[in-house]
Amino acid sequence: MNIHEYQAKELFAGYGVPVPRGVVAFSPDEAFFAAKQLATTPVVVKAQIHAGGRGKAGGVKLAHSPEEARDLAQSMLGAKLVTRQTMPSGKTVHKLLVEEGLPIDRELYFSIIPDRATAKIVIMASTEGGMDIEEVAEKTPEKIVRVSVDPLLGIMPHHCRRAAFALNLPSRAFKPFTKMVSDLYRLFVEKDCSLVEINPLVLTTDERVLALDAKINFDDNALFRHKDIAGLSDPEEEDPLEVEASAHNLNYIKMDGNVGNMVNGAGLAMATMDIIKQAGAEPANFLDVGGGANAETVENGFRIILSDKNVKGILINIFGGILRCDVLASGVVKAAKKVGLNVPVVVRMEGTNVEEGRRILAESGLNLINAKDLTDAAKKVSEIVN
Amino acid sequence: MSIFVNKDTKLLVQGITGREGRFHALACREYGTNVVAGVTPGKGGQDVEGIPVFDSVAEAVEKTGADASLVFVPPPFAADAICEAADAGVALVVAITEGIPVLDMMRVKNYLAKKPVRLIGPNCPGIITPGECKAGIMPGFIHKPGGPVGVVSRSGTLTYEVVDQLTKAGLGQTTCIGIGGDPVNGTNFIDCIDAFNKDPDTQALVMVGEIGGNAEEDAAAFIQANVKKPVVGFVAGLTAPPGRRMGHAGAIISGSSGTAQAKVSAMKAAGIHVCENLGELGALCKKVF
């Protein structure tokens, strides 16, 4: 789960991590009063969307007066921001963070991530702040220091010192920074984060260290024990179909193509999208209905796929193991009748009771096309949409 | 021969009185697995169709000699269940549970590293040595006993698809392992590939990967350096958009890392026969093996 920068900074502040003074604004007038209240020249006006790369895309601007902050807010609010991390259609800006301007001496990089392979928590720090960290890792890997922390042992002072030495901090900033590392680690663990990233972390000319930016991702699997965090999610940032799907416990991700597809199992669903593309068509979605698919899940799946007006054909790919093909076929027929199916559906089933399942589909009188195998299914659905 | 489980495996099922646990414990027994015990704290003394239920794993192990555990415990309590099994001295823990917090698994993995136990999963279909032992939720009937192919995969139904194609192509399996779709898992590709490589009956390997992480790249390097047996590989997610979690918690492209394209390239460079079209995997294996 992602949250906004301003929310991440509120969490930071709660853990004692220094952040610039800032006010959230939902309207040009609020931006005006925010700038007035902050009383620095300039103030920074930052678009709040769930995507990085805002600076280069025009989502972060300086205002030298409250009036200018209001004008900037006027042009930014409601407009779409296209960054390298958004879809080409961009994301609509609904809120802004107005922050005090700071006298910046150096821009640094800091993050905490889990390392999948070693199961350690890794702290990354670099003097190359404000840049794409992947680019730094590729071109000058020696400029990134990685400190590995055993989650059973937790963070220790020498971990924090290593990060501080790597950043070549002046002595007055050293101690506050090591405390910050320890506080951020505590936040990472206590809130089950999957990413805490500050880019840039700034050293000011008066030798303070502050989080100028803040990005936090949370482990969805752990949200059950963090109701406060779950409450920070912003429905305006999500695709409405994805929100509806998750309410039905379906794993749905919208894509740009026109072949809707419904599959049991995430790996098979990804492979099904791939095979649709290989057959010369584009998948309209990822949809995993899970191992225990029944008539109800299939019905909800149909409804969500059909809400996407780009969909011209549907491919259902089910490997029936525990789930029997005849049960699934009955579910498909029932659901298709109920939702008033208006596009052709190619069904590929394999596994337990497959013959009986195919018979049910064939005798349904609906526009359900049996495919004999995966390749055949992809070919048939591709022919339909092209 | 086979790896990790065989006809002598004595399986216990943690969470046996829950719906899933009960259903699959009985399905495993029906397949021929020696299911000797179940564990549900507070329900010791009961039985599930003749399978005795104990309050703790330690008691189940002591009374029945169980040496492997299959875990169906819900996510909030799964890490505890896995560690309890490890402490009780079983040699193998297979965790089916989906949705365990990553941080819990990181702690579990570091804890288990100091113990003589192998963890498979979590968020996996389990492991099967066809004709001998099924410790998982996979449909047993699609498998063909006797080898010569070893299968290792990060997925569930995608593995069934692959196994089904192998069986239909006349290729049996020594052992099939789902290592799970979570970012942090117990047994990885390399552990399985190494074991298959040392198993005389396994003459060929199929590895099924997906987007996210670098496990496929690491495995490819291991194969290039150590494995003479032919390997067919497949990677799901060529069309997956970056930054989105594709069903599995671990199936996510972060920045430019974890793409299917990078994995396919690494596998090809390591001499692995990469299947580009899932519909043709069985035919490719028949040709290569």
Side-chain angles (χ1 to χ4, degrees):
Chain A
M1 192 192 113
N2 297 337
I3 59 172
H4 288 294
E5 175 195 0
Y6 76 90
Q7 296 168 318
K9 282 179 170 166
E10 282 168 13
L11 277 167
F12 278 10
Y15 275 82
V17 175
V19 294
R21 291 182 298 123
V23 180
V24 183
F26 295 85
S27 69
D29 281 344
E30 286 180 17
F32 174 87
F33 287 113
K36 217 171 165 160
Q37 183 190 333
L38 292 168
T40 61
T41 309
V43 293
V44 190
V45 182
K46 307 179 85 176
Q48 300 295 292
I49 57 166
H50 286 185
R54 291 171 300 164
K56 283 193 183 110
V60 179
K61 290 185 171 154
L62 296 181
H64 297 85
S65 67
E67 289 75 17
E68 196 183 354
R70 175 162 53 200
D71 293 346
L72 284 174
Q74 183 76 46
S75 64
M76 289 165 85
L77 284 167
K80 291 233 176 185
L81 195 59
V82 182
T83 83
R84 61 184 158 79
Q85 286 184 14
T86 63
M87 299 276 260
S89 51
K91 283 198 154 184
T92 307
V93 179
H94 296 285
K95 36 194 161 282
L96 303 167
L97 175 61
V98 184
E99 279 189 343
E100 62 172 332
L102 291 168
I104 295 167
D105 179 27
R106 282 162 57 200
E107 296 196 354
L108 311 164
Y109 174 89
F110 181 88
S111 68
I112 307 179
I113 52 168
D115 183 61
R116 300 163 62 129
T118 61
K120 300 284 191 280
I121 294 171
V122 176
I123 293 168
M124 280 172 45
S126 172
T127 50
E128 308 302 294
M131 301 175 40
D132 180 1
I133 197 64
E134 285 200 10
E135 215 177 296
V136 179
E138 199 179 304
K139 290 183 183 154
T140 49
E142 72 281 0
K143 288 187 173 164
I144 300 176
V145 66
R146 288 183 173 76
V147 183
S148 216
V149 181
D150 184 332
L152 291 179
L153 187 61
I155 194 148
M156 304 188 82
H158 74 274
H159 296 130
C160 305
R161 286 198 302 270
R162 265 185 67 199
F165 285 128
L167 294 178
N168 203 11
L169 292 172
S171 53
R172 207 148 72 86
F174 197 93
K175 216 168 178 179
F177 175 78
T178 53
K179 179 181 176 295
M180 176 193 267
V181 175
S182 165
D183 289 339
L184 287 167
Y185 181 90
R186 197 159 50 84
L187 164 67
F188 185 93
V189 171
E190 285 180 4
K191 299 294 181 191
D192 278 286
C193 301
S194 53
L195 171 75
V196 169
E197 186 178 52
I198 307 173
N199 191 18
L201 174 78
V202 296
L203 177 69
T204 59
T205 50
D206 54 351
E207 299 190 337
R208 289 184 296 148
V209 181
L210 294 95
L212 199 64
D213 194 14
K215 183 174 180 184
I216 306 181
N217 293 347
F218 299 95
D219 176 8
D220 292 1
N221 285 352
L223 288 179
F224 70 85
R225 59 189 178 202
H226 301 292
K227 300 289 178 233
D228 55 333
I229 300 296
L232 296 178
S233 86
D234 181 352
E236 283 183 333
E237 288 289 321
E238 319 286 336
D239 184 282
L241 284 180
E242 293 182 9
V243 174
E244 193 195 333
S246 82
H248 293 297
N249 286 322
L250 295 174
N251 235 317
Y252 172 88
I253 293 172
K254 194 172 172 324
M255 306 271 293
D256 288 333
N258 58 7
V259 177
N261 58 91
M262 194 184 322
V263 188
N264 64 332
L268 192 58
M270 278 188 272
T272 304
M273 287 165 56
D274 296 348
I275 206 167
I276 289 169
K277 173 116 176 165
Q278 278 157 352
E282 292 287 335
N285 64 277
F286 165 90
L287 175 55
D288 168 17
V289 294
N294 54 31
E296 197 192 332
T297 39
V298 172
E299 186 189 321
N300 288 326
F302 267 139
R303 195 166 286 134
I304 285 157
I305 289 175
L306 292 170
S307 306
D308 177 354
K309 294 304 165 209
N310 293 329
V311 169
K312 299 284 180 282
I314 297 175
L315 170 57
I316 297 183
N317 181 19
I318 300 288
F319 197 98
I322 306 305
L323 171 71
R324 286 176 10 227
C325 289
D326 54 327
V327 173
L328 177 92
S330 308
V332 168
V333 170
K334 208 171 133 201
K337 284 183 175 158
K338 206 165 167 191
V339 300
L341 209 55
N342 53 5
V343 297
V345 178
V346 177
V347 185
R348 184 272 178 165
M349 288 186 302
E350 200 54 72
T352 319
N353 289 7
V354 64
E355 292 309 323
E356 176 67 6
R358 286 183 182 151
R359 191 188 58 76
I360 292 168
L361 293 183
E363 290 173 2
S364 69
L366 293 164
N367 197 359
L368 302 171
I369 303 152
N370 267 312
K372 65 174 179 355
D373 57 37
L374 257 183
T375 313
D376 183 44
K379 196 167 138 262
K380 278 183 169 147
V381 80
S382 161
E383 278 163 8
I384 287 166
V385 300
N386 287 325
Chain B
M1 281 275 283
S2 56
I3 66 171
F4 307 151
V5 294
N6 58 33
K7 59 182 179 356
D8 301 322
T9 300
K10 289 170 133 180
L11 189 70
L12 73 86
V13 176
Q14 287 175 264
I16 195 168
T17 54
R19 194 168 54 95
E20 297 267 306
R22 177 190 172 90
F23 179 88
H24 288 292
L26 296 174
C28 287
R29 185 171 72 174
E30 197 179 320
Y31 187 78
T33 307
N34 189 12
V35 182
V36 296
V39 172
T40 300
K43 298 202 173 167
Q46 300 181 6
D47 77 295
V48 170
E49 309 234 341
I51 303 169
V53 178
F54 299 90
D55 282 324
S56 72
V57 181
E59 192 189 353
V61 168
E62 189 199 329
K63 300 269 170 62
T64 66
D67 56 10
S69 176
L70 186 60
V71 178
F72 288 96
V73 176
F77 320 107
D80 175 51
I82 294 167
C83 292
E84 184 189 349
D87 286 347
V90 300
L92 178 73
V93 181
V94 181
I96 305 299
T97 311
E98 175 171 8
I100 304 177
V102 176
L103 210 54
D104 288 8
M105 277 316 302
M106 292 175 76
R107 293 193 183 101
V108 167
K109 187 159 175 158
N110 283 288
Y111 180 68
L112 297 194
K114 299 169 190 92
K115 295 191 165 273
V117 61
R118 169 176 301 286
L119 170 67
I120 294 176
N123 189 13
C124 79
I127 176 169
I128 181 168
T129 291
E132 296 192 22
C133 176
K134 169 174 121 102
I137 59 172
M138 66 289 281
F141 70 93
I142 60 172
H143 299 80
K144 180 174 152 68
V149 186
V151 179
V152 57
S153 166
R154 275 170 68 188
S155 181
T157 48
L158 179 54
T159 316
Y160 312 162
E161 173 75 41
V162 166
V163 168
D164 188 55
Q165 288 191 33
L166 287 173
T167 296
K168 284 179 176 155
L171 294 162
Q173 305 92 39
T174 49
T175 299
C176 304
I177 307 164
I179 57 175
D182 276 0
V184 176
N185 55 16
T187 296
N188 62 24
F189 275 122
I190 294 177
D191 301 326
C192 298
I193 291 164
D194 188 30
F196 278 134
N197 199 32
K198 290 172 181 155
D199 172 35
D201 289 342
T202 301
Q203 288 154 30
L205 280 74
V206 176
M207 69 174 279
V208 181
E210 64 189 29
I211 56 162
N214 297 307
E216 289 81 0
E217 286 90 331
D218 295 345
F222 178 85
I223 287 169
Q224 189 166 27
N226 301 289
V227 180
K228 298 276 187 296
K229 300 175 182 181
V231 182
V232 164
F234 178 80
V235 179
L238 283 160
T239 52
R244 302 302 307 270
R245 181 171 122 152
M246 305 298 281
H248 291 154
I252 179 163
I253 299 169
S254 314
S256 59
S257 114
T259 65
Q261 285 77 3
K263 293 173 190 301
V264 167
S265 305
M267 286 160 82
K268 280 184 177 166
I272 296 168
H273 304 269
V274 176
C275 172
E276 309 262 1
N277 182 326
L278 181 60
E280 288 155 16
L281 189 130
L284 176 67
C285 289
K286 203 164 182 182
K287 204 176 100 196
V288 173
F289 298 160

